[in-house]
Amino acid sequence: MSNISRRQFLKGAGVATLAVAAAGVLAGCSKEDIEKVVTKDVKVVFMCNGATVGDQNYLKVAQDKITVAVSEIPSNYFPVGYKVVSTGELKIAKLPTGEDGIKVMLDEIEVPVDIYYYEVVDGKEVDRMIFEDVTVYASQKTITKKVAEQYAGDSYTVVGDGPFTINWSNNTVRVEAKKN
């Protein structure tokens, strides 16, 4: 067995790929035809607690590739509010849809949100109190009345039964409360 370095191997593989592409072009194949022959699409599925999360995107990889390194997945593919549990190489397998895919395991992280309490006085909203750093999971869409009351303190009574919607564009929740 010869002692070939990884760099030499990859360089040789690159030259071979170019040769195949050139042969295809000379034979009348288009770039798209060659790409179909030498690459395949692999669906990236993000999983947390047995459920899919985030958007599913595709990676274009070499046709004969059997694994994908987590580091090869573009950072903008990963859903916000989760940390990656999977490491190293992920095996490409057939998904229930029949597509080639990889499953990336995630854990949900906690995210701080601000609760803004306001009171309606003479038909106008008046901010009364802000409580920062209420911690919720990134997948939560609302907080309960119980949570809102917990942070309102004894001076205010929460108006309405909730749940109160989290605005993820600015990590806030607006809750009406009246002064006791």
Side-chain angles (χ1 to χ4, degrees), residues 33-44:
D33 291 336
I34 295 166
E35 200 169 77
K36 286 178 188 174
V37 172
V38 295
T39 64
K40 64 182 173 183
D41 289 326
V42 175
K43 188 173 187 178
V44 181

Side-chain angles (χ1 to χ4, degrees), residues 2-134:
S2 74
N3 288 332
I4 185 170
S5 71
R6 183 170 188 242
R7 180 183 170 111
Q8 289 171 324
F9 174 78
L10 291 174
K11 187 176 177 183
V15 169
T17 301
L18 286 174
V20 168
V25 170
L26 291 174
C29 297
S30 68
K31 178 184 173 192
E32 289 77 26
D33 291 336
I34 295 166
E35 200 169 77
K36 286 178 188 174
V37 172
V38 295
T39 64
K40 64 182 173 183
D41 289 326
V42 175
K43 188 173 187 178
V44 181
V45 180
F46 295 102
M47 304 286 298
C48 182
N49 299 325
T52 59
V53 295
D55 296 330
Q56 273 72 61
N57 294 292
Y58 292 85
L59 292 174
K60 192 167 285 303
V61 300
Q63 183 68 34
D64 60 347
K65 195 162 184 173
I66 59 172
T67 63
V68 174
V70 172
S71 61
E72 292 178 66
I73 302 169
S75 60
N76 62 328
Y77 281 23
F78 292 91
V80 175
Y82 297 88
K83 66 179 178 178
V84 181
V85 175
S86 296
T87 58
E89 298 282 330
L90 304 175
K91 185 169 176 47
I92 298 172
K94 287 288 183 197
L95 299 173
T97 59
E99 300 171 281
D100 285 333
I102 56 170
K103 291 184 179 179
V104 183
M105 298 303 155
L106 306 172
D107 270 343
E108 196 168 18
I109 60 172
E110 293 181 332
V111 181
V113 296
D114 296 333
I115 300 177
Y116 287 86
Y117 294 94
Y118 67 92
E119 188 171 8
V120 177
V121 179
D122 297 328
K124 295 181 182 177
E125 289 184 11
V126 179
D127 286 340
R128 292 295 184 197
M129 178 174 65
I130 300 170
F131 185 86
E132 297 183 25
D133 295 331
V134 176

